[in-house]
Amino acid sequence: PKLNVAVVSKVYPMRSHTISAEGGMAAVLREYDSLDSHAYDTIKGSDFLADQDAVEFFVKESPREAIRLEHWGCPFSRDPDGRISVRAFGGMSVKRTLFATDKIGFHLLHTLFQTSLKFSNIHRYDEWFVTSLLVDDGKVEGVAAIELRTGDLVTILAKAVVIATGGCGKIFQFTTNGWIKTGDGMALAYRAGVPLKDMEMVQYHPTLLPNTGILITEAARGEGGYLLNKDGERFLKRYVPGKMELGPRDIISRAEMTEISEGRAFEGPYGSYVHLDLTHLGEAVIEEKLPFVKELAERYVGIDPAHEPIPVRPGQHYQMGGVHTDMYGYTGLPGLYAAGEVACVSINGANRLGSNSLTECLVFGAAAGKAAAEYAQKQPAPSFGNPVQGLFMIEENRIYDQILKHEKGERISAIRTQMQQAMEKYVGIYRDENSLMEACRIVGELKKRVKNAVVEDKDRVFNTELVSALELEFMLDAAEAIAYSALHRRESRGTHSRIDYTKRDDLVFMKHTTAYKGPDGPRIEYSPVTITRWKPEERVY
């Protein structure tokens, strides 16, 4: 009751990217399961780069947050006995993924948003775009944000700020991520001096529609779907024989790329692909448990998955790395907290298990909110005097007198496309020293060129081109951190697969990469991984 909370979002909250999550959320709610089992699966899935104290905290809090969500009204799918239904998911040793058909993100976001409407001290700033954090005397005092409807830059003063802006998938050309996923929160923290951690760990999802990048949920394999090459063979028996289609995402994505490179994939107008076959499941199972998969297949590739296999290929999906935080969301910069995909606690390490991310949003969102509230209650009221006012005026000058005033220069879209193509080509599923050096060079060059790019729309009202220019600068900051972090990690671990360093090197690289913003590219440092009870071992399935 004592708190005054502002929710600032560049899109209407129900357009947040959580809406697109399909498969489910992991939590230990069955008698055959255990917290230790969930923790071990998560740590092994991370290729032992996860901080084990954070994982233990996460698995312990997960059931509590799932039940809280259910009590708030989330319409989970149910078993005949009334319990929340669970399904199998990749890398999980038992069925522990709670689901709401195949639209969990939609229902979760509705539940949280509707619950938030009950509180009069939560004030929403919908379609306001945050351009910078206001940092004075070593602590965060609020944010500068553009009200998109008027084009005015406004100061929102705050005693504490929680960043929950999601990932940065639009840095890549082929991604499941929507247009809003431009790494804003990562870049905001990075510019304020907070390191970005483990940014080289970029997750590829194995089942995207080749023409659109739309994701076909892992739940399709959790319910018994098969992956087949052009010979009709379930090729995963060569890669993850113990898990097959329920192997971790990084291994399955690499398996698909190997099938493609060795000529065992199908060829189509949008490149090479393999088949996801659900036909043996029957219409009833698909209608009951995978209705959204059926809708997507029919709408975007014109096939009924009950009668024809779905064409799929891997693409960028999730960012394991992000803003460095502790397990309570604190970034190390007083007043600044982060949670969700934008943050790196890290429970995901080098590879996230499917269905852990939604629960991560709930667990660490709650922890960050609580920590930020406790901090805010001890702080004096912020004042809009110097130097905060001075910082605001610098930001106003940067946006309106520099970015918006250029009359001639390159188009924003041309620079963005070059960045996406470079990241796709040089920082993809397979990497090596030369390709990563080239990525670092190109991103550095694009960062110089974007300073002289032109925003042709000079109007202030809903100026989406100006927003695109600011988002591109955010994306280039995150892209720089990804490319440099990948270049310096000379091993293969989880999603980070180097063809010139094919083995995992625990002696040298059992540590987190931390990238600090510098004038000529990031400064790369390292911090230890917390090991509690699970000693690193070979990761085989």
Side-chain angles (χ1 to χ4, degrees):
K2 295 176 188 169
L3 295 172
N4 195 14
V5 182
V7 179
V8 187
S9 174
K10 73 174 175 183
V11 292
Y12 185 67
M14 285 308 301
R15 295 282 175 270
S16 297
H17 209 268
T18 298
I19 200 96
S20 64
E22 298 168 34
M25 52 176 282
V28 174
L29 288 182
R30 293 298 175 101
E31 65 288 342
Y32 57 72
D33 203 357
S34 72
L35 298 181
D36 277 5
S37 172
H38 189 187
Y40 174 70
D41 288 348
T42 299
I43 291 160
K44 183 179 176 183
S46 80
D47 218 349
F48 295 90
L49 196 66
D51 286 317
Q52 296 182 11
D53 55 346
V55 173
E56 291 189 66
F57 174 78
F58 165 70
V59 300
K60 185 166 104 319
E61 292 296 317
S62 293
R64 208 170 296 167
E65 287 298 330
I67 291 166
R68 190 203 309 261
L69 191 70
E70 195 267 348
H71 287 182
W72 281 350
C74 187
F76 285 107
S77 295
R78 301 277 178 179
D79 286 355
D81 63 5
R83 291 188 298 179
I84 296 173
S85 298
V86 289
R87 61 169 42 127
F89 240 69
M92 299 287 187
S93 52
V94 298
K95 290 184 179 182
R96 70 164 63 93
T97 297
L98 321 177
F99 62 94
T101 65
D102 52 358
K103 290 186 179 176
I104 182 68
F106 176 86
H107 294 302
L108 183 150
L109 197 52
H110 265 280
T111 304
L112 293 173
F113 182 56
Q114 287 165 191
T115 303
S116 77
L117 298 178
K118 297 196 304 192
F119 300 97
S120 60
N121 55 340
I122 296 177
H123 308 278
R124 292 210 330 272
Y125 295 82
D126 299 343
E127 297 184 324
W128 287 55
F129 179 67
V130 174
T131 66
S132 71
L133 297 170
L134 300 173
V135 182
D136 172 36
D137 196 22
K139 66 178 184 179
V140 173
E141 297 276 12
V143 299
I146 297 173
E147 183 182 5
L148 298 179
R149 187 169 60 177
T150 63
D152 293 336
L153 187 70
V154 178
T155 301
I156 301 173
L157 296 178
K159 297 178 183 179
V161 173
V162 181
I163 302 175
T165 54
C168 57
K170 290 312 286 186
I171 288 169
F172 291 83
Q173 197 171 18
F174 190 65
T175 175
T176 64
N177 288 196
W179 278 102
I180 60 172
K181 300 299 286 295
T182 50
D184 305 2
M186 294 174 184
L188 289 170
Y190 186 52
R191 292 174 186 181
V194 177
L196 297 181
K197 188 162 74 184
D198 295 340
M199 288 294 281
E200 67 272 33
M201 302 305 178
V202 180
Q203 181 165 79
Y204 283 74
H205 196 288
T207 54
L208 279 61
L209 297 179
N211 56 334
T212 59
I214 287 171
L215 181 141
I216 299 298
T217 173
E218 195 163 312
R221 287 174 282 131
E223 296 297 340
Y226 298 152
L227 284 170
L228 307 173
N229 61 20
K230 72 175 184 184
D231 304 324
E233 174 196 22
R234 287 179 69 188
F235 58 87
L236 290 173
K237 66 189 180 190
R238 283 196 293 280
Y239 306 93
V240 269
K243 283 281 190 184
M244 294 297 284
E245 282 79 11
L246 292 176
R249 290 172 176 177
D250 57 333
I251 297 175
I252 294 180
S253 293
R254 285 197 292 274
E256 288 181 5
M257 291 307 291
T258 303
E259 293 297 300
I260 288 168
S261 67
E262 294 181 0
R264 292 188 292 274
F266 300 90
E267 296 298 326
Y270 303 102
S272 307
Y273 62 90
V274 295
H275 272 158
L276 173 61
D277 188 6
L278 310 180
T279 56
H280 55 285
L281 300 181
E283 287 188 9
V285 169
I286 292 170
E287 286 283 0
E288 182 195 349
K289 294 187 172 176
L290 302 167
F292 194 46
V293 168
K294 178 179 166 71
E295 183 185 329
L296 291 173
E298 288 176 341
R299 183 172 292 180
Y300 292 102
V301 282
I303 64 167
D304 181 348
H307 301 289
E308 289 179 76
I310 305 169
V312 294
R313 57 159 279 193
Q316 193 280 343
H317 176 57
Y318 184 89
Q319 183 66 27
M320 268 80 66
V323 179
H324 162 73
T325 72
D326 65 14
M327 69 176 94
Y328 305 105
Y330 179 52
T331 63
L333 176 62
L336 187 65
Y337 301 81
E341 190 178 351
V342 71
C344 182
V345 177
S346 160
I347 63 159
N348 299 313
N351 177 64
R352 173 178 70 79
L353 293 192
S355 76
N356 266 352
S357 65
L358 289 181
T359 325
E360 178 187 4
C361 284
L362 296 170
V363 169
F364 294 104
K370 207 174 289 181
E374 286 168 2
Y375 172 85
Q377 285 175 314
K378 296 173 189 159
Q379 299 306 305
S383 78
F384 184 57
N386 276 326
V388 173
Q389 189 171 7
L391 293 169
F392 174 77
M393 291 171 76
I394 291 167
E395 184 67 355
E396 197 169 35
N397 173 267
R398 179 179 82 92
I399 293 168
Y400 297 121
D401 294 339
Q402 292 173 34
I403 296 171
L404 206 54
K405 281 283 166 72
H406 288 155
E407 292 298 334
K408 289 182 178 170
E410 281 187 89
R411 298 189 69 138
I412 297 298
S413 57
I415 297 173
R416 183 177 61 220
T417 300
Q418 286 178 45
M419 171 196 68
Q420 291 170 331
Q421 288 173 342
M423 293 300 285
E424 195 75 39
K425 184 175 180 181
Y426 299 120
V427 200
I429 290 177
Y430 288 107
R431 306 158 173 187
D432 65 32
E433 192 92 3
N434 291 335
S435 71
L436 293 169
M437 284 174 71
E438 182 64 4
C440 294
R441 186 192 67 76
I442 292 171
V443 169
E445 184 187 297
L446 294 176
K447 287 192 80 167
K448 289 176 189 156
R449 281 164 50 192
V450 79
K451 287 183 168 56
N452 299 312
V454 64
V455 175
E456 292 172 351
D457 181 1
K458 305 300 181 188
D459 194 11
R460 289 208 174 188
V461 176
F462 276 113
N463 190 334
T464 54
E465 194 182 4
L466 174 60
V467 170
S468 293
L470 294 164
E471 286 177 333
L472 178 57
E473 291 184 342
F474 285 155
M475 285 193 279
L476 286 165
D477 276 354
E480 165 185 273
I482 291 170
Y484 276 86
S485 298
L487 176 65
H488 284 77
R489 184 175 284 277
R490 293 180 173 90
E491 65 158 359
S492 288
R493 185 186 297 267
T495 57
H496 177 66
S497 193
R498 295 272 303 243
I499 57 176
D500 48 353
Y501 298 94
T502 56
K503 296 277 188 286
R504 192 178 88 190
D505 185 352
D506 287 351
L507 206 61
V508 181
F509 287 106
M510 178 58 79
K511 53 193 178 185
H512 298 296
T513 309
T514 50
Y516 292 82
K517 187 166 177 58
D520 304 306
R523 182 179 87 254
I524 301 297
E525 295 184 4
Y526 295 94
S527 60
V529 175
T530 304
I531 309 282
T532 57
R533 293 189 286 140
W534 293 274
K535 298 294 174 225
E537 61 188 51
E538 192 183 354
R539 182 172 170 245
V540 291
Y541 290 95

